[in-house]
Amino acid sequence: CDEGMAVDALRALVQRGTKLQWQLVEAREKLPNVLTDPKSDEARRHAPVLLDFRYLKCPDLYEERIQANESARALDEQFKNKAADVVKECVDVFQDVSKYFEDVLLACGKVEGEARPSAESSSRDGWIVEVLYRFGLVLLGLIDRFPGKMREKLLVSCVRYKGSSNAANIKTMCLVCRAVEKHKSLWQRLGQWRVEEYFSRFPIPAHVLESSVEWIEHGGRCRELDDPTQATSNDPALLSSRLYVLLYFMPSVLESGMIQMRGLVELFFHDNWVLSHSLGETVDMSVAWAPYKAASLALSSTLSSTKAKKLASLHKKSSR
């Protein structure tokens, strides 16, 4: 009975995560161009009133600057009348993400503190993987759909127009909304968001992460998940997509876990390095893992081997 209740609670968390993904999509679609296109002329004109987290350090100074400039006052009032409600709607979703993280941690804490007889807990372990996967997808959605300083500007605008009481838990909200920097390669060609840095703001217990990766690595062979709409334990494509997301919570493995990454790549990515992982989106692992030493080396060696085998096979056929 307790096991069934635990699985029901985890299933509910998965459903909440999926709902949050769609809420992020819908919230983004409602935003005005001045926020979604920072390089537009309109965004440049609104720069004095669309403020990032520097505002929070000395709000009075920024407010004085706006009030002292007639043009800035007019733009501020115009944007407030046009977009304040949409801004608040976005920030409300960000707050839901913050609360979701708290509940994910509670679920992970219960798992971490329990003995784990494999025959009884395999289904639960699979649902923990699903919960972490959904939470990771929510974080990726925040980075992809609200990139750069956009989240900061939304939170600051909400505080200015609606009051700080409408952005409860401001400290946690700052973790959700603080901008993510980009990776810099030797040739400055990657320009990818530092996904692992963003994920590190929401630490998951190491024991839970390790057991989740182990569950994926062993193909979840004890038992399939008991809901056919979710990933089944013997589907390599679905398991590889979950592994891809969960490893962002474990950057040391991506960066320096040479042996582990080699084994994971051989098991899941030796012949499929383009994944479908969320809402119909795809990811090229050779690009996504380029900033991480161990992951990129493991994948590149496998890709080279795979290509060599294909070339050899083609050569063999042509020589017949």
Side-chain angles (χ1 to χ4, degrees), residues 12-116:
L13 275 178
V14 171
Q15 293 170 346
R16 279 177 60 193
T18 302
K19 182 180 178 181
L20 274 173
Q21 286 181 261
W22 284 110
Q23 286 178 312
L24 290 173
V25 172
E26 293 168 359
R28 164 64 191 243
E29 290 176 349
K30 295 178 182 179
L31 289 177
N33 185 66
V34 66
L35 281 166
T36 58
D37 185 5
K39 295 183 179 181
S40 67
D41 292 340
E42 189 180 7
R44 282 192 285 269
R45 285 194 304 109
H46 281 76
V49 299
L50 291 180
L51 305 167
D52 58 29
F53 277 5
R54 288 173 291 185
Y55 171 90
L56 299 177
K57 295 180 179 179
C58 44
D60 292 341
L61 174 62
Y62 284 95
E63 294 295 347
E64 289 173 5
R65 288 177 179 175
I66 293 172
Q67 294 306 314
N69 186 303
E70 184 177 351
S71 176
R73 287 201 311 273
L75 284 171
D76 194 38
E77 189 66 22
Q78 180 185 34
F79 181 76
K80 179 180 178 180
N81 292 335
K82 179 181 179 181
D85 290 340
V86 174
V87 165
K88 182 181 180 301
E89 185 176 334
C90 285
V91 173
D92 285 345
V93 179
F94 298 164
Q95 285 187 260
D96 289 342
V97 173
S98 176
K99 181 63 168 65
Y100 187 56
F101 172 57
E102 294 174 3
D103 292 340
V104 168
L105 276 187
L106 284 174
C108 290
K110 290 177 181 178
V111 171
E112 189 178 28
E114 295 176 3
R116 300 171 58 248

Side-chain angles (χ1 to χ4, degrees), residues 207-273:
H207 169 77
V208 176
L209 288 171
E210 290 166 3
S211 62
S212 295
V213 171
E214 181 182 343
W215 189 92
I216 294 173
E217 192 172 4
H218 287 81
R221 55 176 172 260
C222 293
R223 187 192 302 170
E224 294 185 355
L225 296 182
D226 57 2
D227 186 337
T229 66
Q230 301 298 332
T232 54
S233 59
N234 59 355
D235 189 325
L238 293 175
L239 290 172
S240 62
S241 66
R242 280 135 185 81
L243 181 64
Y244 157 69
V245 173
L246 262 62
L247 284 175
Y248 280 125
F249 289 109
M250 309 170 73
S252 61
V253 175
L254 289 171
E255 182 60 32
S256 56
M258 298 289 188
I259 296 175
Q260 186 175 4
M261 282 307 309
R262 191 177 300 117
L264 292 173
V265 166
E266 289 176 356
L267 192 59
F268 292 106
F269 305 107
H270 67 281
D271 60 353
N272 181 27
W273 55 91

Side-chain angles (χ1 to χ4, degrees), residues 261-319:
M261 282 307 309
R262 191 177 300 117
L264 292 173
V265 166
E266 289 176 356
L267 192 59
F268 292 106
F269 305 107
H270 67 281
D271 60 353
N272 181 27
W273 55 91
V274 178
L275 302 180
S276 175
H277 72 98
S278 171
L279 306 181
E281 298 175 1
T282 59
V283 57
D284 183 339
M285 303 301 294
S286 65
V287 175
W289 280 355
Y292 311 105
K293 185 176 181 180
S296 60
L297 284 175
L299 190 63
S300 62
S301 63
T302 299
L303 293 183
S304 298
S305 175
T306 302
K307 289 177 181 177
K309 290 178 181 178
K310 287 183 178 179
L311 286 173
S313 177
L314 289 172
H315 177 73
K316 185 177 181 180
K317 288 179 181 179
S318 64
S319 63

